[in-house]
Amino acid sequence: MKINNLFFIVFVVTLFFIASCTKSQLNEDLEFKKMCQDAGYEWMKMKPTQDGKFIKDAQECFGCMVQGIEHICDKTKFMEFVGKEDVSVDFSTNLKNVVPSKLITLTFSFKNQEGKPLQMEIEHEKLLHTIIISDDFSIFSHIHPEDSELTTEQMKKNSIFAINYTFPKSGRYLIGVNFASAKMDYSKVFYLDVAGNQNKQIKKDFSTEKIFDDYKVSLSLPQKLLAGKESTLSYYFEKDGNQLTNLEPYLGAPMHVVILKDDLTNFIHTHANIGDMEMTDIKMSMNMSAGMKMNMHELPSYFGPNLSVQTIFPEEGIYQIFGEFKHKGKVIITSFMVEVD
């Protein structure tokens, strides 16, 4: 009887030890995930990389895709890698309390590793791309300091950029900025709460054929979207029953595409390709706005009706895919919701 009791005690202690280790590991993973997403990077499950290439014989792991080029599964390595980053961005508003329907000035300051103004370069025809999305996905804006006279030449010299924006309603907003230096393209994410009744309600709509400003847009997807696996999103454009073969480049790309998870994490700003042209390089497929600098293919004046996007969804869940295409000088915004397993 005593032996049985002893075995039982050992069994319980062993279970407790395993549970404690599992819980500890789970907490550490969640901490790493938060660190990754707070830094504006993508959290996903895939093979780790080194210098942008998969590590031979390595197993898939949850980790952080840093700058679109390195998938890091070890928290210590992540902290070392991020510590080498040569850019910092400060974000501020001219009002402490931001309220709906009131013009607000958003200011961004960019510095290099020495704390000096970052020497920024034009990327996709602009020095700074600012994406603003509401937490219910009903608001989407893609704006630039160059769109107004708010940013002066002195501010450009000091790498300080300002934009005016009126938030239509209360709630939490993601503010993503994409910019470039001579060495790298960067993507940073900030969050802003607009005062008022914050009743977030995301309307679930998984339709793949919709009408946007009289344009019929169809989105074809793989049979299953899997987290950590490259997926091709295929767009087809029509108007008045006719396929569109005269789409125009918009900001140096066939189409700008922003992908965002329903909890406002995993922000990806990428671009479409013409027809079935594929980008197989992992750095190209991950995020054209968060990785090493690379040249875009030279675009024809007109193209269509098919565009494709190669991307990797970092983790399972619901994502909203915003697209911007141009036709006859007019920019049209598309919006589709997908579910990733």
Side-chain angles (χ1 to χ4, degrees):
M1 187 69 178
K2 290 182 179 180
I3 294 177
N4 289 338
N5 288 339
L6 180 62
F7 278 131
F8 178 75
I9 292 172
V10 172
F11 176 71
V12 171
V13 170
T14 302
L15 285 180
F16 179 78
F17 176 76
I18 293 174
S20 299
C21 291
T22 303
K23 184 176 181 182
S24 174
Q25 182 63 42
L26 178 62
N27 289 337
E28 187 170 351
D29 288 344
L30 292 177
E31 181 184 0
F32 184 12
K33 177 179 178 180
K34 187 175 186 305
M35 289 170 59
C36 172
Q37 293 176 339
D38 285 350
Y41 301 126
E42 287 80 39
W43 179 262
M44 64 177 63
K45 184 179 181 181
M46 62 180 285
K47 285 187 176 182
T49 65
Q50 185 172 345
D51 299 326
K53 298 179 181 179
F54 289 122
I55 298 175
K56 187 177 180 181
D57 299 327
Q59 299 295 314
E60 285 191 344
C61 54
F62 281 104
C64 190
M65 176 59 75
V66 182
Q67 297 176 350
I69 56 174
E70 293 297 359
H71 182 64
I72 302 173
C73 300
D74 181 82
K75 186 167 63 175
T76 302
K77 289 183 179 178
F78 167 79
M79 294 172 71
E80 292 174 355
F81 192 96
V82 172
K84 299 176 183 178
E85 191 171 16
D86 58 353
V87 168
S88 65
V89 185
D90 290 327
F91 166 65
S92 63
T93 62
N94 64 323
L95 296 178
K96 185 175 181 180
N97 295 318
V98 181
V99 296
S101 304
K102 187 176 181 65
L103 191 66
I104 302 296
T105 300
L106 312 177
T107 302
F108 304 91
S109 175
F110 302 85
K111 295 181 180 179
N112 61 21
Q113 197 170 30
E114 286 112 23
K116 297 178 181 179
L118 178 70
Q119 296 302 306
M120 298 172 70
E121 290 197 348
I122 292 176
E123 183 73 4
H124 285 282
E125 302 180 6
K126 302 291 182 180
L127 282 170
L128 176 64
H129 298 262
T130 305
I131 307 293
I132 299 175
I133 304 175
S134 63
D135 59 1
D136 63 355
F137 296 145
S138 65
I139 307 297
F140 174 89
S141 297
H142 180 177
I143 53 182
H144 318 89
E146 299 97 322
D147 297 339
S148 68
E149 298 178 357
L150 190 64
T151 301
T152 64
E153 289 301 319
Q154 185 63 30
M155 293 173 77
K156 290 180 182 179
K157 182 180 178 180
N158 294 331
S159 293
I160 297 174
F161 296 89
I163 56 175
N164 282 334
Y165 189 76
T166 301
F167 292 90
K169 60 181 185 178
S170 60
R172 169 156 282 203
Y173 287 79
L174 174 139
I175 301 175
V177 291
N178 295 98
F179 57 99
S181 67
K183 296 179 180 179
M184 299 282 291
D185 294 347
Y186 296 93
S187 181
K188 298 289 185 181
V189 171
F190 303 93
Y191 298 95
L192 183 66
D193 290 314
V194 178
N197 182 20
Q198 300 188 16
N199 184 20
K200 174 185 174 182
Q201 289 185 336
I202 295 178
K203 181 182 178 182
K204 291 188 178 181
D205 177 7
F206 298 103
S207 304
T208 55
E209 188 175 285
K210 296 183 179 182
I211 304 294
F212 303 98
D213 290 343
D214 297 326
Y215 290 84
K216 182 179 178 181
V217 183
S218 302
L219 177 63
S220 298
L221 305 167
Q223 189 173 4
K224 261 195 174 184
L225 291 171
L226 299 175
K229 305 294 182 183
E230 188 175 61
S231 299
T232 299
L233 317 177
S234 301
Y235 287 84
Y236 178 80
F237 302 87
E238 289 184 12
K239 192 173 193 297
D240 301 326
N242 300 312
Q243 63 181 17
L244 292 180
T245 58
N246 59 341
L247 297 175
E248 304 161 12
Y250 173 56
L251 295 176
M255 183 180 183
H256 281 251
V257 177
V258 172
I259 302 172
L260 184 62
K261 198 166 178 286
D262 61 355
D263 59 358
L264 298 188
T265 62
N266 297 321
F267 169 81
I268 300 172
H269 180 180
T270 185
H271 308 94
N273 313 312
I274 297 173
D276 297 325
M277 180 180 67
E278 293 188 0
M279 299 179 179
T280 55
D281 191 307
I282 183 174
K283 289 172 284 187
M284 297 282 274
S285 64
M286 274 304 306
N287 190 343
M288 286 294 296
S289 295
M292 288 186 173
K293 287 185 68 62
M294 52 199 78
N295 296 324
M296 290 292 292
H297 295 271
E298 187 174 346
L299 296 174
S301 299
Y302 300 103
F303 45 84
N306 298 297
L307 296 178
S308 62
V309 179
Q310 278 75 47
T311 192
I312 298 176
F313 292 93
E315 60 182 349
E316 63 182 26
I318 293 175
Y319 291 78
Q320 198 75 12
I321 305 172
F322 296 95
E324 295 174 283
F325 70 94
K326 190 175 182 180
H327 183 245
K328 292 186 176 180
K330 182 180 180 180
V331 178
I332 311 299
I333 298 174
T334 68
S335 182
F336 291 93
M337 179 177 285
V338 299
E339 188 163 12
V340 178
D341 294 325

